[in-house]
Short mmCIF file of all heavy atoms in Angstrom, two decimals:
data_model
loop_
_atom_site.label_atom_id
_atom_site.label_comp_id
_atom_site.label_asym_id
_atom_site.label_seq_id
_atom_site.Cartn_x
_atom_site.Cartn_y
_atom_site.Cartn_z
N SER A 28 7.27 0.29 32.05
CA SER A 28 7.08 1.72 31.84
C SER A 28 6.23 1.96 30.60
O SER A 28 6.28 1.20 29.63
CB SER A 28 8.45 2.38 31.70
OG SER A 28 8.35 3.63 31.12
N ASP A 29 5.44 3.01 30.62
CA ASP A 29 4.61 3.35 29.46
C ASP A 29 5.43 3.92 28.31
O ASP A 29 4.89 4.17 27.23
CB ASP A 29 3.54 4.36 29.86
CG ASP A 29 2.45 3.74 30.73
OD1 ASP A 29 2.33 2.51 30.72
OD2 ASP A 29 1.74 4.49 31.41
N ASN A 30 6.73 4.13 28.52
CA ASN A 30 7.58 4.69 27.47
C ASN A 30 8.37 3.64 26.71
O ASN A 30 9.15 3.99 25.84
CB ASN A 30 8.53 5.73 28.07
CG ASN A 30 7.80 7.00 28.46
OD1 ASN A 30 6.88 7.42 27.77
ND2 ASN A 30 8.20 7.60 29.55
N MET A 31 8.18 2.36 27.05
CA MET A 31 8.90 1.29 26.36
C MET A 31 7.91 0.24 25.87
O MET A 31 6.94 -0.09 26.56
CB MET A 31 9.91 0.62 27.30
CG MET A 31 11.05 1.52 27.73
SD MET A 31 12.11 2.09 26.38
CE MET A 31 12.95 0.58 25.94
N ILE A 32 8.16 -0.27 24.68
CA ILE A 32 7.42 -1.42 24.16
C ILE A 32 8.43 -2.56 24.11
O ILE A 32 9.45 -2.47 23.42
CB ILE A 32 6.87 -1.16 22.75
CG1 ILE A 32 5.89 0.00 22.77
CG2 ILE A 32 6.21 -2.42 22.20
CD1 ILE A 32 5.42 0.44 21.39
N ASN A 33 8.17 -3.62 24.86
CA ASN A 33 9.05 -4.78 24.84
C ASN A 33 8.58 -5.75 23.77
O ASN A 33 7.38 -6.04 23.66
CB ASN A 33 9.07 -5.46 26.21
CG ASN A 33 9.73 -4.57 27.25
OD1 ASN A 33 10.82 -4.09 27.04
ND2 ASN A 33 9.04 -4.33 28.34
N ILE A 34 9.51 -6.25 22.98
CA ILE A 34 9.20 -7.13 21.86
C ILE A 34 9.59 -8.55 22.23
O ILE A 34 10.73 -8.82 22.59
CB ILE A 34 9.99 -6.71 20.59
CG1 ILE A 34 9.80 -5.23 20.29
CG2 ILE A 34 9.62 -7.59 19.42
CD1 ILE A 34 8.39 -4.81 19.99
N LYS A 35 8.62 -9.46 22.14
CA LYS A 35 8.89 -10.88 22.33
C LYS A 35 8.41 -11.58 21.08
O LYS A 35 7.23 -11.54 20.76
CB LYS A 35 8.17 -11.41 23.57
CG LYS A 35 8.73 -10.82 24.85
CD LYS A 35 8.06 -11.39 26.06
CE LYS A 35 8.64 -10.72 27.29
NZ LYS A 35 7.97 -11.12 28.50
N SER A 36 9.32 -12.22 20.37
CA SER A 36 9.00 -12.83 19.08
C SER A 36 9.83 -14.09 18.89
O SER A 36 10.97 -14.16 19.35
CB SER A 36 9.29 -11.83 17.95
OG SER A 36 9.12 -12.44 16.70
N ILE A 37 9.24 -15.07 18.20
CA ILE A 37 10.01 -16.27 17.92
C ILE A 37 10.98 -16.06 16.76
O ILE A 37 11.90 -16.83 16.58
CB ILE A 37 9.09 -17.49 17.63
CG1 ILE A 37 8.14 -17.20 16.47
CG2 ILE A 37 8.32 -17.88 18.87
CD1 ILE A 37 7.35 -18.39 15.99
N THR A 38 10.76 -14.99 15.98
CA THR A 38 11.69 -14.64 14.92
C THR A 38 12.40 -13.35 15.30
O THR A 38 11.90 -12.56 16.09
CB THR A 38 10.97 -14.45 13.57
OG1 THR A 38 10.01 -13.41 13.71
CG2 THR A 38 10.31 -15.72 13.12
N GLN A 39 13.55 -13.13 14.73
CA GLN A 39 14.34 -11.94 15.04
C GLN A 39 13.72 -10.71 14.36
O GLN A 39 13.61 -10.65 13.14
CB GLN A 39 15.78 -12.15 14.56
CG GLN A 39 16.71 -11.04 14.95
CD GLN A 39 18.13 -11.31 14.49
OE1 GLN A 39 18.35 -11.86 13.43
NE2 GLN A 39 19.09 -10.92 15.31
N VAL A 40 13.30 -9.74 15.17
CA VAL A 40 12.73 -8.50 14.64
C VAL A 40 13.89 -7.57 14.26
O VAL A 40 14.73 -7.24 15.09
CB VAL A 40 11.81 -7.82 15.67
CG1 VAL A 40 11.32 -6.48 15.15
CG2 VAL A 40 10.63 -8.73 16.01
N ILE A 41 13.94 -7.18 12.98
CA ILE A 41 15.06 -6.38 12.51
C ILE A 41 14.67 -4.98 12.06
O ILE A 41 15.53 -4.16 11.75
CB ILE A 41 15.82 -7.09 11.36
CG1 ILE A 41 14.89 -7.39 10.20
CG2 ILE A 41 16.50 -8.35 11.87
CD1 ILE A 41 15.58 -7.92 8.96
N ASP A 42 13.36 -4.69 12.05
CA ASP A 42 12.94 -3.37 11.59
C ASP A 42 11.57 -3.05 12.18
O ASP A 42 10.78 -3.95 12.45
CB ASP A 42 12.86 -3.33 10.07
CG ASP A 42 12.78 -1.91 9.52
OD1 ASP A 42 13.25 -0.98 10.20
OD2 ASP A 42 12.24 -1.74 8.42
N PHE A 43 11.30 -1.76 12.40
CA PHE A 43 9.97 -1.35 12.87
C PHE A 43 9.66 0.05 12.38
O PHE A 43 10.55 0.84 12.09
CB PHE A 43 9.87 -1.41 14.40
CG PHE A 43 10.58 -0.29 15.11
CD1 PHE A 43 9.96 0.93 15.33
CD2 PHE A 43 11.88 -0.46 15.54
CE1 PHE A 43 10.64 1.96 15.98
CE2 PHE A 43 12.56 0.56 16.20
CZ PHE A 43 11.93 1.77 16.41
N GLU A 44 8.36 0.34 12.32
CA GLU A 44 7.86 1.68 12.05
C GLU A 44 6.60 1.87 12.89
O GLU A 44 5.84 0.92 13.08
CB GLU A 44 7.51 1.86 10.56
CG GLU A 44 8.72 1.82 9.66
CD GLU A 44 8.34 1.80 8.19
OE1 GLU A 44 7.18 1.50 7.87
OE2 GLU A 44 9.21 2.09 7.37
N ILE A 45 6.39 3.09 13.39
CA ILE A 45 5.19 3.42 14.14
C ILE A 45 4.46 4.55 13.41
O ILE A 45 5.07 5.56 13.06
CB ILE A 45 5.52 3.84 15.59
CG1 ILE A 45 6.20 2.68 16.32
CG2 ILE A 45 4.26 4.27 16.32
CD1 ILE A 45 6.62 2.99 17.74
N TYR A 46 3.15 4.32 13.18
CA TYR A 46 2.32 5.28 12.46
C TYR A 46 1.22 5.81 13.39
O TYR A 46 0.72 5.07 14.23
CB TYR A 46 1.64 4.61 11.26
CG TYR A 46 2.63 4.13 10.23
CD1 TYR A 46 3.17 2.85 10.29
CD2 TYR A 46 3.03 4.97 9.19
CE1 TYR A 46 4.09 2.41 9.35
CE2 TYR A 46 3.95 4.53 8.24
CZ TYR A 46 4.47 3.26 8.33
OH TYR A 46 5.37 2.83 7.41
N ASP A 47 0.86 7.08 13.21
CA ASP A 47 -0.27 7.63 13.95
C ASP A 47 -1.56 7.30 13.19
O ASP A 47 -1.52 6.65 12.14
CB ASP A 47 -0.10 9.13 14.21
CG ASP A 47 -0.09 9.98 12.95
OD1 ASP A 47 -0.46 9.50 11.87
OD2 ASP A 47 0.31 11.16 13.06
N LEU A 48 -2.69 7.74 13.72
CA LEU A 48 -3.98 7.39 13.11
C LEU A 48 -4.17 7.99 11.73
O LEU A 48 -4.97 7.49 10.94
CB LEU A 48 -5.13 7.82 14.03
CG LEU A 48 -5.29 6.97 15.30
CD1 LEU A 48 -6.41 7.55 16.17
CD2 LEU A 48 -5.58 5.53 14.96
N SER A 49 -3.43 9.04 11.40
CA SER A 49 -3.56 9.64 10.07
C SER A 49 -2.68 8.91 9.04
O SER A 49 -2.72 9.23 7.86
CB SER A 49 -3.18 11.12 10.11
OG SER A 49 -1.78 11.27 10.31
N GLY A 50 -1.87 7.94 9.51
CA GLY A 50 -1.01 7.19 8.61
C GLY A 50 0.39 7.75 8.48
O GLY A 50 1.20 7.25 7.71
N LYS A 51 0.69 8.79 9.25
CA LYS A 51 2.02 9.41 9.21
C LYS A 51 3.00 8.57 10.04
O LYS A 51 2.70 8.19 11.17
CB LYS A 51 1.94 10.83 9.78
CG LYS A 51 3.27 11.53 9.85
CD LYS A 51 3.11 12.89 10.49
CE LYS A 51 4.47 13.50 10.80
NZ LYS A 51 4.34 14.68 11.65
N CYS A 52 4.17 8.30 9.47
CA CYS A 52 5.22 7.58 10.21
C CYS A 52 5.82 8.54 11.24
O CYS A 52 6.37 9.58 10.89
CB CYS A 52 6.30 7.07 9.27
SG CYS A 52 7.58 6.13 10.10
N VAL A 53 5.69 8.21 12.52
CA VAL A 53 6.15 9.09 13.59
C VAL A 53 7.43 8.59 14.26
O VAL A 53 8.10 9.34 14.96
CB VAL A 53 5.05 9.32 14.65
CG1 VAL A 53 3.91 10.11 14.05
CG2 VAL A 53 4.56 8.01 15.23
N LEU A 54 7.78 7.32 14.03
CA LEU A 54 9.01 6.77 14.61
C LEU A 54 9.39 5.56 13.79
O LEU A 54 8.55 4.75 13.40
CB LEU A 54 8.76 6.36 16.07
CG LEU A 54 9.97 5.93 16.90
CD1 LEU A 54 10.95 7.09 17.08
CD2 LEU A 54 9.50 5.43 18.27
N LYS A 55 10.69 5.44 13.51
CA LYS A 55 11.14 4.26 12.75
C LYS A 55 12.52 3.84 13.21
O LYS A 55 13.24 4.62 13.83
CB LYS A 55 11.10 4.52 11.25
CG LYS A 55 12.03 5.62 10.77
CD LYS A 55 11.76 5.97 9.33
CE LYS A 55 12.42 5.00 8.40
NZ LYS A 55 12.30 5.36 7.00
N ASN A 56 12.84 2.60 12.89
CA ASN A 56 14.14 2.05 13.23
C ASN A 56 15.22 2.81 12.48
O ASN A 56 15.10 3.07 11.30
CB ASN A 56 14.16 0.57 12.83
CG ASN A 56 15.46 -0.11 13.17
OD1 ASN A 56 16.11 0.23 14.15
ND2 ASN A 56 15.84 -1.08 12.38
N ASN A 57 16.30 3.17 13.18
CA ASN A 57 17.38 3.88 12.51
C ASN A 57 18.68 3.07 12.47
O ASN A 57 19.72 3.58 12.16
CB ASN A 57 17.62 5.25 13.17
CG ASN A 57 17.94 5.12 14.65
OD1 ASN A 57 18.09 4.02 15.17
ND2 ASN A 57 18.04 6.24 15.32
N ARG A 58 18.55 1.78 12.80
CA ARG A 58 19.70 0.88 12.71
C ARG A 58 19.32 -0.30 11.82
O ARG A 58 18.18 -0.75 11.85
CB ARG A 58 20.09 0.36 14.10
CG ARG A 58 20.53 1.50 15.02
CD ARG A 58 20.91 0.97 16.38
NE ARG A 58 19.71 0.50 17.06
CZ ARG A 58 19.73 -0.21 18.18
NH1 ARG A 58 20.86 -0.56 18.73
NH2 ARG A 58 18.60 -0.59 18.75
N GLU A 59 20.27 -0.79 11.07
CA GLU A 59 19.98 -1.88 10.14
C GLU A 59 20.33 -3.24 10.73
O GLU A 59 21.38 -3.41 11.33
CB GLU A 59 20.76 -1.70 8.84
CG GLU A 59 20.01 -0.91 7.81
CD GLU A 59 20.72 -0.92 6.48
OE1 GLU A 59 21.12 -1.98 6.02
OE2 GLU A 59 20.86 0.17 5.91
N ASN A 60 19.41 -4.19 10.54
CA ASN A 60 19.64 -5.59 10.89
C ASN A 60 20.10 -5.81 12.33
O ASN A 60 20.94 -6.65 12.59
CB ASN A 60 20.62 -6.22 9.90
CG ASN A 60 20.08 -6.22 8.49
OD1 ASN A 60 18.89 -6.43 8.28
ND2 ASN A 60 20.94 -5.94 7.53
N ILE A 61 19.54 -5.05 13.25
CA ILE A 61 19.80 -5.23 14.67
C ILE A 61 18.60 -5.95 15.27
O ILE A 61 17.45 -5.58 14.98
CB ILE A 61 20.00 -3.87 15.38
CG1 ILE A 61 21.14 -3.08 14.75
CG2 ILE A 61 20.20 -4.05 16.87
CD1 ILE A 61 22.51 -3.68 14.93
N ASN A 62 18.83 -6.96 16.10
CA ASN A 62 17.71 -7.64 16.76
C ASN A 62 17.06 -6.68 17.75
O ASN A 62 17.69 -6.22 18.69
CB ASN A 62 18.20 -8.89 17.47
CG ASN A 62 17.06 -9.71 18.03
OD1 ASN A 62 15.93 -9.62 17.55
ND2 ASN A 62 17.35 -10.50 19.03
N ILE A 63 15.81 -6.34 17.51
CA ILE A 63 15.11 -5.35 18.32
C ILE A 63 14.33 -6.07 19.42
O ILE A 63 13.49 -6.93 19.14
CB ILE A 63 14.16 -4.52 17.44
CG1 ILE A 63 14.97 -3.77 16.38
CG2 ILE A 63 13.32 -3.56 18.28
CD1 ILE A 63 14.15 -3.20 15.25
N SER A 64 14.60 -5.71 20.68
CA SER A 64 13.88 -6.32 21.80
C SER A 64 13.04 -5.31 22.57
O SER A 64 12.20 -5.68 23.37
CB SER A 64 14.87 -7.01 22.74
OG SER A 64 15.79 -6.07 23.25
N ALA A 65 13.28 -4.00 22.34
CA ALA A 65 12.50 -2.96 23.00
C ALA A 65 12.52 -1.70 22.14
O ALA A 65 13.49 -1.43 21.45
CB ALA A 65 13.05 -2.67 24.38
N ILE A 66 11.43 -0.94 22.22
CA ILE A 66 11.31 0.31 21.47
C ILE A 66 10.95 1.42 22.46
O ILE A 66 9.96 1.30 23.20
CB ILE A 66 10.22 0.21 20.38
CG1 ILE A 66 10.56 -0.91 19.40
CG2 ILE A 66 10.08 1.54 19.65
CD1 ILE A 66 9.45 -1.24 18.43
N ASN A 67 11.72 2.48 22.46
CA ASN A 67 11.47 3.63 23.32
C ASN A 67 10.48 4.56 22.62
O ASN A 67 10.77 5.08 21.55
CB ASN A 67 12.78 4.35 23.61
CG ASN A 67 12.63 5.49 24.59
OD1 ASN A 67 11.54 6.03 24.77
ND2 ASN A 67 13.71 5.86 25.22
N ILE A 68 9.31 4.77 23.24
CA ILE A 68 8.29 5.63 22.65
C ILE A 68 8.07 6.89 23.49
O ILE A 68 7.02 7.53 23.42
CB ILE A 68 6.96 4.87 22.43
CG1 ILE A 68 6.41 4.30 23.74
CG2 ILE A 68 7.13 3.80 21.37
CD1 ILE A 68 4.99 3.79 23.65
N SER A 69 9.07 7.28 24.26
CA SER A 69 8.92 8.44 25.16
C SER A 69 8.69 9.74 24.39
O SER A 69 8.10 10.68 24.93
CB SER A 69 10.15 8.57 26.06
OG SER A 69 11.31 8.80 25.29
N THR A 70 9.12 9.82 23.13
CA THR A 70 8.94 11.04 22.35
C THR A 70 7.53 11.16 21.76
O THR A 70 7.18 12.22 21.24
CB THR A 70 9.96 11.10 21.20
OG1 THR A 70 9.78 9.95 20.37
CG2 THR A 70 11.38 11.15 21.73
N LEU A 71 6.73 10.10 21.84
CA LEU A 71 5.39 10.13 21.27
C LEU A 71 4.38 10.67 22.28
O LEU A 71 4.49 10.42 23.48
CB LEU A 71 4.95 8.72 20.85
CG LEU A 71 5.80 8.02 19.79
CD1 LEU A 71 5.22 6.66 19.47
CD2 LEU A 71 5.91 8.86 18.54
N SER A 72 3.39 11.41 21.79
CA SER A 72 2.30 11.90 22.63
C SER A 72 1.37 10.74 22.99
O SER A 72 1.38 9.70 22.32
CB SER A 72 1.50 12.96 21.88
OG SER A 72 2.33 14.02 21.49
N THR A 73 0.54 10.94 24.00
CA THR A 73 -0.45 9.91 24.32
C THR A 73 -1.39 9.75 23.13
O THR A 73 -1.67 10.71 22.40
CB THR A 73 -1.26 10.29 25.57
OG1 THR A 73 -1.88 11.55 25.36
CG2 THR A 73 -0.38 10.37 26.80
N GLY A 74 -1.83 8.53 22.90
CA GLY A 74 -2.73 8.28 21.79
C GLY A 74 -2.61 6.87 21.28
O GLY A 74 -1.97 6.01 21.87
N ILE A 75 -3.24 6.63 20.13
CA ILE A 75 -3.27 5.32 19.50
C ILE A 75 -2.34 5.33 18.30
O ILE A 75 -2.34 6.27 17.49
CB ILE A 75 -4.70 4.96 19.06
CG1 ILE A 75 -5.63 4.90 20.29
CG2 ILE A 75 -4.73 3.63 18.31
CD1 ILE A 75 -7.09 4.77 19.96
N TYR A 76 -1.55 4.28 18.18
CA TYR A 76 -0.57 4.15 17.10
C TYR A 76 -0.63 2.74 16.53
O TYR A 76 -1.19 1.83 17.14
CB TYR A 76 0.85 4.42 17.62
CG TYR A 76 1.03 5.81 18.15
CD1 TYR A 76 0.81 6.11 19.49
CD2 TYR A 76 1.41 6.85 17.31
CE1 TYR A 76 0.96 7.40 19.98
CE2 TYR A 76 1.57 8.14 17.79
CZ TYR A 76 1.34 8.41 19.12
OH TYR A 76 1.49 9.68 19.60
N PHE A 77 -0.03 2.57 15.36
CA PHE A 77 0.10 1.26 14.76
C PHE A 77 1.59 0.95 14.59
O PHE A 77 2.31 1.73 13.98
CB PHE A 77 -0.63 1.19 13.41
CG PHE A 77 -2.11 1.30 13.58
CD1 PHE A 77 -2.75 2.51 13.41
CD2 PHE A 77 -2.86 0.20 13.95
CE1 PHE A 77 -4.11 2.64 13.59
CE2 PHE A 77 -4.23 0.30 14.13
CZ PHE A 77 -4.86 1.53 13.95
N LEU A 78 2.02 -0.15 15.18
CA LEU A 78 3.41 -0.57 15.16
C LEU A 78 3.56 -1.70 14.16
O LEU A 78 2.90 -2.74 14.28
CB LEU A 78 3.83 -1.04 16.56
CG LEU A 78 5.14 -1.79 16.69
CD1 LEU A 78 6.32 -0.93 16.26
CD2 LEU A 78 5.34 -2.28 18.11
N THR A 79 4.42 -1.51 13.16
CA THR A 79 4.72 -2.55 12.19
C THR A 79 6.10 -3.12 12.51
O THR A 79 7.08 -2.38 12.54
CB THR A 79 4.69 -2.01 10.75
OG1 THR A 79 3.38 -1.51 10.48
CG2 THR A 79 5.03 -3.10 9.74
N LEU A 80 6.13 -4.42 12.78
CA LEU A 80 7.38 -5.13 13.07
C LEU A 80 7.72 -6.01 11.87
O LEU A 80 6.83 -6.62 11.26
CB LEU A 80 7.21 -6.03 14.30
CG LEU A 80 6.86 -5.31 15.60
CD1 LEU A 80 6.50 -6.33 16.67
CD2 LEU A 80 8.01 -4.44 16.05
N ARG A 81 9.01 -6.06 11.53
CA ARG A 81 9.44 -6.89 10.40
C ARG A 81 10.59 -7.79 10.81
O ARG A 81 11.50 -7.36 11.52
CB ARG A 81 9.90 -6.01 9.24
CG ARG A 81 8.79 -5.27 8.56
CD ARG A 81 9.26 -4.54 7.32
NE ARG A 81 8.23 -3.67 6.82
CZ ARG A 81 8.01 -2.44 7.26
NH1 ARG A 81 8.77 -1.92 8.20
NH2 ARG A 81 7.03 -1.71 6.76
N SER A 82 10.52 -9.02 10.32
CA SER A 82 11.66 -9.94 10.41
C SER A 82 12.10 -10.20 8.97
O SER A 82 11.59 -9.59 8.04
CB SER A 82 11.25 -11.24 11.11
OG SER A 82 10.43 -12.01 10.25
N SER A 83 13.02 -11.12 8.80
CA SER A 83 13.47 -11.41 7.43
C SER A 83 12.37 -12.07 6.61
O SER A 83 12.39 -12.00 5.38
CB SER A 83 14.71 -12.29 7.46
OG SER A 83 14.41 -13.50 8.14
N SER A 84 11.38 -12.68 7.27
CA SER A 84 10.37 -13.43 6.52
C SER A 84 8.94 -12.91 6.67
O SER A 84 8.10 -13.20 5.82
CB SER A 84 10.41 -14.90 6.93
OG SER A 84 10.18 -15.02 8.32
N ILE A 85 8.63 -12.18 7.73
CA ILE A 85 7.25 -11.75 7.94
C ILE A 85 7.18 -10.30 8.40
O ILE A 85 8.15 -9.72 8.87
CB ILE A 85 6.50 -12.64 8.97
CG1 ILE A 85 7.18 -12.58 10.33
CG2 ILE A 85 6.35 -14.05 8.48
CD1 ILE A 85 6.38 -13.21 11.45
N SER A 86 5.98 -9.73 8.28
CA SER A 86 5.69 -8.38 8.75
C SER A 86 4.37 -8.46 9.50
O SER A 86 3.44 -9.12 9.07
CB SER A 86 5.58 -7.44 7.56
OG SER A 86 5.16 -6.17 7.97
N GLN A 87 4.29 -7.77 10.65
CA GLN A 87 3.06 -7.77 11.42
C GLN A 87 2.80 -6.37 11.96
O GLN A 87 3.72 -5.71 12.42
CB GLN A 87 3.15 -8.76 12.58
CG GLN A 87 1.90 -8.83 13.41
CD GLN A 87 1.98 -9.84 14.53
OE1 GLN A 87 3.03 -10.36 14.84
NE2 GLN A 87 0.87 -10.11 15.15
N THR A 88 1.53 -5.95 11.91
CA THR A 88 1.16 -4.64 12.45
C THR A 88 0.22 -4.85 13.62
O THR A 88 -0.72 -5.63 13.54
CB THR A 88 0.47 -3.79 11.37
OG1 THR A 88 1.37 -3.62 10.27
CG2 THR A 88 0.07 -2.43 11.91
N ILE A 89 0.52 -4.14 14.73
CA ILE A 89 -0.31 -4.23 15.92
C ILE A 89 -0.67 -2.83 16.40
O ILE A 89 0.05 -1.87 16.17
CB ILE A 89 0.39 -5.02 17.06
CG1 ILE A 89 1.76 -4.40 17.39
CG2 ILE A 89 0.53 -6.47 16.71
CD1 ILE A 89 2.43 -5.01 18.57
N LYS A 90 -1.82 -2.74 17.06
CA LYS A 90 -2.29 -1.47 17.62
C LYS A 90 -1.62 -1.26 18.98
O LYS A 90 -1.53 -2.17 19.79
CB LYS A 90 -3.80 -1.50 17.78
CG LYS A 90 -4.42 -0.23 18.27
CD LYS A 90 -5.92 -0.35 18.17
CE LYS A 90 -6.59 0.18 19.40
NZ LYS A 90 -8.04 0.05 19.33
N VAL A 91 -1.14 -0.03 19.22
CA VAL A 91 -0.47 0.33 20.46
C VAL A 91 -1.17 1.55 21.03
O VAL A 91 -1.43 2.51 20.30
CB VAL A 91 1.02 0.64 20.22
CG1 VAL A 91 1.68 1.16 21.49
CG2 VAL A 91 1.75 -0.58 19.69
N VAL A 92 -1.49 1.53 22.33
CA VAL A 92 -2.08 2.69 22.99
C VAL A 92 -1.07 3.23 23.98
O VAL A 92 -0.64 2.51 24.89
CB VAL A 92 -3.39 2.31 23.72
CG1 VAL A 92 -3.96 3.53 24.43
CG2 VAL A 92 -4.40 1.75 22.74
N LYS A 93 -0.64 4.47 23.80
CA LYS A 93 0.26 5.10 24.76
C LYS A 93 -0.57 5.96 25.71
O LYS A 93 -1.34 6.80 25.29
CB LYS A 93 1.31 5.98 24.07
CG LYS A 93 2.23 6.61 25.14
CD LYS A 93 3.41 7.30 24.58
CE LYS A 93 4.23 7.84 25.75
NZ LYS A 93 5.18 8.81 25.34
N LYS A 94 -0.42 5.68 26.99
CA LYS A 94 -1.20 6.39 28.02
C LYS A 94 -0.44 7.59 28.54
O LYS A 94 0.74 7.65 28.52
CB LYS A 94 -1.52 5.45 29.16
CG LYS A 94 -2.39 4.31 28.69
CD LYS A 94 -2.68 3.36 29.83
CE LYS A 94 -3.53 2.20 29.34
NZ LYS A 94 -3.82 1.25 30.37
#
């Protein structure tokens, strides 16, 4: 579904934030230290976003396009 982002990682993802193109945080994790395997983005409008995923040791940002 276009409303879910499935996370596949070799490390446990425990936090995330999604930013719009202006740099505004539009969605963030509201639970602490939970292994995240999917993110529901149904509340976001169509467009381009940047998803930052964090584990205990690394942080990675990827571009996401919601159709």
Side-chain angles (χ1 to χ4, degrees):
S28 163
D29 288 341
N30 288 323
M31 294 297 290
I32 299 173
N33 293 309
I34 308 298
K35 293 182 182 175
S36 174
I37 57 172
T38 60
Q39 186 179 36
V40 175
I41 58 172
D42 195 26
F43 74 86
E44 293 172 343
I45 298 178
Y46 296 90
D47 64 14
L48 288 176
S49 71
K51 177 183 169 191
C52 182
V53 293
L54 188 64
K55 63 190 279 186
N56 182 32
N57 57 6
R58 298 180 290 169
E59 270 189 48
N60 298 321
I61 302 293
N62 187 23
I63 298 165
S64 60
I66 301 170
N67 184 338
I68 58 168
S69 62
T70 59
L71 299 181
S72 302
T73 57
I75 299 171
Y76 298 91
F77 293 97
L78 168 62
T79 299
L80 299 170
R81 290 186 189 84
S82 72
S83 59
S84 58
I85 61 170
S86 174
Q87 181 178 11
T88 300
I89 56 174
K90 183 171 136 181
V91 174
V92 179
K93 180 171 181 196
K94 297 179 181 179

